[in-house]
Amino acid sequence: MKKRYFNTIISKIPENNRFELIWKLAQVDFKKRYYNDRLGIFWALLNPIIRVMVYFLAFSYLIPRAIEGIDNFALFLFSALIFWLEFTQIIRKSMRLLLQKRYLIENIKIFKIDLFVSLALASFIGFIFNLFAYVCISLLFGTEFGSQLIFLPILTISLYLIAIGVGMLLSSIYIFFSDINHLVDIIILLGFWTSGIFFPADKILEVWPPLYYINPFVGLLDNVRNILVYNLPLDFQIMTINLTQAIFIYLIGYKFMEKYSPRAFEYL
């Protein structure tokens, strides 16, 4: 049905009018972006409205207050971005993974979890390069690294467990409900501004203390900075909480995928 629909559109593309051709191709591309979504063009309106509101509030109120008194703000910011961008990259790629690799699951009988682990492993290689580049630059700024560095792998493991768990969950839902793609964009945007990327964790504790425990990235990024920016002792309590949360999210994602992804393929 979808193929027939776009073949009909393409058949109407003129061959002798270049400007009309460009316009028709743009129309096709735009419609394809929202064709499978139940709410369709609604997302094209909702997404930018939410983004404008969030960025307005962030740059008008949050950032001016957040950067006051922060030493080495560039390192403070990029140490968190490395971890956050790795998380978002994995879940974005994971979202369509089951659908894209369906032929492997059905023909080779590959374990579904292996697809997500291999994706995370491939992403991890790039993460190592980014982390190495950050360390080299921070050394130029005079940053000193202490024995706390040995705990960085635990924080990294927490990151990947969360990313894989969320990825498995989203990938299963995406087969049923493709609109989740646009909803995830909004959640990522909100998560970006509520994870303490631009401001210290204590700023969050002043506003709403429970978020420190509800959003695992708040504590995780706080400990990352203790290691990579300030060479301070870790908060072992929050590190343990974050690791426990990560394991729980991973297990939830795995159980959900194992239970619902076969039904999702039948739904197709």
Side-chain angles (χ1 to χ4, degrees):
M1 181 68 182
K2 177 181 176 181
K3 185 176 180 181
R4 185 185 306 170
Y5 172 76
F6 287 110
N7 283 341
T8 303
I9 295 177
I10 292 171
S11 65
K12 296 180 180 179
I13 293 178
E15 298 180 359
N16 55 350
N17 189 321
R18 183 176 179 183
F19 294 105
E20 190 174 355
L21 171 63
I22 293 173
W23 172 242
K24 287 295 183 181
L25 289 173
Q27 284 182 297
V28 170
D29 184 64
F30 182 80
K31 290 178 180 179
K32 283 176 65 178
R33 191 182 308 173
Y34 300 101
Y35 182 80
N36 283 329
D37 301 333
R38 297 180 182 180
L39 299 180
I41 205 69
F42 170 74
W43 290 115
L45 178 64
L46 181 63
N47 203 317
I49 289 175
I50 292 179
R51 286 181 180 274
V52 169
M53 292 174 58
V54 170
Y55 282 119
F56 174 78
L57 293 173
F59 284 96
S60 298
Y61 301 103
L62 291 179
I63 293 180
R65 296 178 56 190
I67 64 177
E68 293 178 0
I70 297 179
D71 298 326
N72 298 326
F73 182 71
L75 297 180
F76 175 91
L77 175 61
F78 288 111
S79 61
L81 281 177
I82 291 172
F83 280 75
W84 177 256
L85 292 177
E86 181 68 6
F87 167 72
T88 57
Q89 176 178 263
I90 291 174
I91 64 171
R92 286 184 187 279
K93 290 183 177 180
S94 296
M95 193 161 24
R96 298 177 177 84
L97 191 60
L98 288 179
L99 203 56
Q100 291 175 341
K101 304 296 184 181
R102 181 183 179 185
Y103 67 96
L104 289 177
I105 299 171
E106 294 178 341
N107 297 323
I108 304 179
K109 305 303 181 183
I110 189 173
F111 292 106
K112 291 187 285 289
I113 182 63
D114 293 347
L115 297 174
F116 294 90
V117 173
S118 64
L119 186 151
L121 182 59
S123 186
F124 177 72
I125 297 172
F127 175 77
I128 290 297
F129 280 104
N130 291 335
L131 194 59
F132 178 76
Y134 170 85
V135 169
C136 291
I137 293 173
S138 61
L139 288 174
L140 293 177
F141 278 88
T143 302
E144 296 180 358
F145 299 104
S147 59
Q148 305 289 348
L149 197 62
I150 63 174
F151 294 103
L152 190 61
I154 297 178
L155 302 180
T156 304
I157 290 171
S158 297
L159 167 73
Y160 279 91
L161 286 175
I162 295 171
I164 294 173
V166 173
M168 290 187 291
L169 185 66
L170 293 178
S171 190
S172 303
I173 296 175
Y174 182 80
I175 301 175
F176 289 108
F177 186 63
S178 60
D179 291 56
I180 195 71
N181 177 41
H182 305 292
L183 185 60
V184 167
D185 287 339
I186 294 173
I187 293 173
I188 287 175
L189 178 65
L190 296 176
F192 180 84
W193 293 106
T194 58
S195 297
I197 293 174
F198 273 91
F199 41 87
D202 56 8
K203 297 285 185 180
I204 296 177
L205 292 175
E206 293 175 4
V207 177
W208 194 44
L211 190 61
Y212 194 70
Y213 301 97
I214 295 173
N215 183 347
F217 276 94
V218 177
L220 191 151
L221 296 181
D222 195 38
N223 273 329
V224 164
R225 285 167 175 148
N226 288 338
I227 296 174
L228 295 180
V229 182
Y230 300 120
N231 192 19
L232 294 174
L234 271 73
D235 186 333
F236 287 99
Q237 179 183 8
I238 196 64
M239 184 176 70
T240 304
I241 292 174
N242 291 154
L243 182 59
T244 304
Q245 290 172 320
I247 294 172
F248 179 75
I249 292 171
Y250 174 86
L251 292 175
I252 290 293
Y254 177 76
K255 293 294 184 181
F256 188 92
M257 179 185 67
E258 287 297 303
K259 182 175 182 179
Y260 291 104
S261 62
R263 300 182 188 180
F265 288 145
E266 293 176 3
Y267 171 79
L268 291 175

